Each structure stands twice: as C-alpha cells, then as structure tokens.
Amino acid sequence: MNAVPTRVERGKRDKLERIKRAARKLFGRKGFEATTTREIAAAADIGAGTLFLYAGTKEDLLVLIFREEIGRVVNDAFATMPRRPLLDQVLHLFGAMIALHERDRGLARVFVRELPFVADRRHGVAEMMTTILAGIAVLIENAKERGELRPDVPATHLANSLFGLYFFQLQRWLGGDPISSEQRDDGLLAALKLQLEGLGNRRPKSRSSKIPYRVRGLGRLGESPISAKLNGRGGR
C-alpha cells in the first residue's frame, strides 16, 4: 500500500511541476539559448537558488521534460500496438510521437535542435533511444516471423533506419523552410513503404495506402490518431 505523501513531499512535487511548466512554456516561446534559469525560476514563482535543487542546468530541465513527455507517449503507443502489418505499427508509433510535437511546435524545435548534443552520459537520452529502438526491433522480429520480411533482415539495423526516416521528416517539418504537415506525413509514409517493401518476402496487405489520419492530437489516452483510425474509431 502506497504511503500518503507528506506536506513537504507534496510541496516538492508542486514546485517541480511549476518548474517544468515554466520551462516548457519559455523554451517553446523563446528557444533554449535565449531562456535563462532566472526566467524559469521567476515564472515558477521560486527563488533562483531553489531551481538548482531540482535541476542543475537548463539541459537537465530539457531532458527531464523530454523523457517525461516522449516516454509516456512511447509507452502508450507500444501498449496499444495494433495487430497489423509492420508498416501500420511503425505509423502507430511515429504518429503518436508526431502528435505530441504538433501540440507545441516551438518546444519540438528545441528538442530536435538541442537534445542530440547534450552531455548524454549523465542525462540518459541515449538510454531512452535504445529502449525505443529495441521496441521497434521487436516489431520487426515479429514481422519476420509472420513472413512479411525476409528472415535475414537485421532487426537492429532496420529499426535504426526506420527511426532515421521518421526523424528526417520531423526535421524537415520543423526546419527554417518547413514542409507542411501533409507533406511530412506523405513523405514519411512513402519512405517507410519503400524501405519495407524492398525487404519483404511479399507485399503485406495493409490499409495504409496513405497516412490514414492527420496527426493533430493523441485522441483518447494511450491511442494515437493513426491507431484510432486504423481500429475504426475517429477519422475525418
């Protein structure tokens, strides 16, 4: 049985939530470099020194927000993975991640621009990426067992390639001369189909003649708009 948190513990949690909300808002509006820790502390209504009890640097705060938000979305996506061909499954995962970024494009730009260069040994971004890629590799192994892919396809390498295709379209959409959401979705689908069909034993039957739902939000908890459409719920 979980113990009831004390007043001190509740106070700490409240301060941390205020810090994360303030950092999210400022990073998304001003960018990472232009935001100062003093501004974050002021927006969270705490002292500048208190902030460092919760996060030593801006990098710590950025990674904390990223791991919390992406981690929740990825866990939900894998937990609600549809029993469909591999193409639909990776669209389910990547669609959920894109939906999160659609909610705050400014913050998404900060994630894409800054996170690849953080001092990862103490932040754990690589650990999270390893977990995501391992999950995709399991989907690939399952697809091989179903006969969708050749048995000699290396799952780990293909998982990296599929994520790279997703990340490339994400960068294009968030870039200085950005593509539209429709171009992003169509480009991602075309690239994934080309990759997977080139490695297949046969062409799996898939409903994904195009991305079935423009990703504007996560829909019900634990289900991306893409999976909602694939499962017959929602769509427009």
Side-chain angles (χ1 to χ4, degrees), residues 102-117:
E102 288 249 11
R103 286 160 50 185
D104 192 334
R105 195 162 172 168
L107 185 60
R109 286 194 181 99
V110 172
F111 285 156
V112 169
R113 184 180 299 121
E114 302 294 335
L115 286 173
F117 305 102

Side-chain angles (χ1 to χ4, degrees), residues 65-132:
I65 294 168
F66 174 77
R67 294 190 64 176
E68 181 178 280
E69 296 194 353
I70 290 292
R72 181 177 62 249
V73 167
V74 167
N75 287 339
D76 287 343
F78 279 118
T80 59
M81 189 60 63
R83 294 185 178 182
R84 298 190 184 276
L86 180 60
L87 175 61
D88 294 334
Q89 292 182 326
V90 293
L91 285 174
H92 175 81
L93 172 62
F94 295 150
M97 295 167 71
I98 289 171
L100 174 66
H101 294 315
E102 288 249 11
R103 286 160 50 185
D104 192 334
R105 195 162 172 168
L107 185 60
R109 286 194 181 99
V110 172
F111 285 156
V112 169
R113 184 180 299 121
E114 302 294 335
L115 286 173
F117 305 102
V118 299
D120 193 75
R121 185 171 299 176
R122 66 188 182 87
H123 284 100
V125 175
E127 179 183 354
M128 169 167 278
M129 281 304 308
T130 298
T131 300
I132 294 172

Side-chain angles (χ1 to χ4, degrees), residues 173-221:
W173 172 62
L174 295 171
D177 186 18
I179 60 175
S180 67
S181 297
E182 289 75 16
Q183 289 172 316
R184 175 204 65 210
D185 290 353
D186 292 342
L188 177 58
L189 175 65
L192 292 173
K193 286 185 71 175
L194 182 64
Q195 177 82 81
L196 294 177
E197 289 178 0
L199 298 171
N201 278 329
R202 55 182 172 79
R203 293 185 64 179
K205 294 180 180 180
S206 170
R207 295 183 181 182
S208 298
S209 58
K210 63 182 296 185
I211 283 190
Y213 195 99
R214 298 300 176 191
V215 282
R216 300 299 182 196
L218 282 176
R220 70 181 181 87
L221 181 63

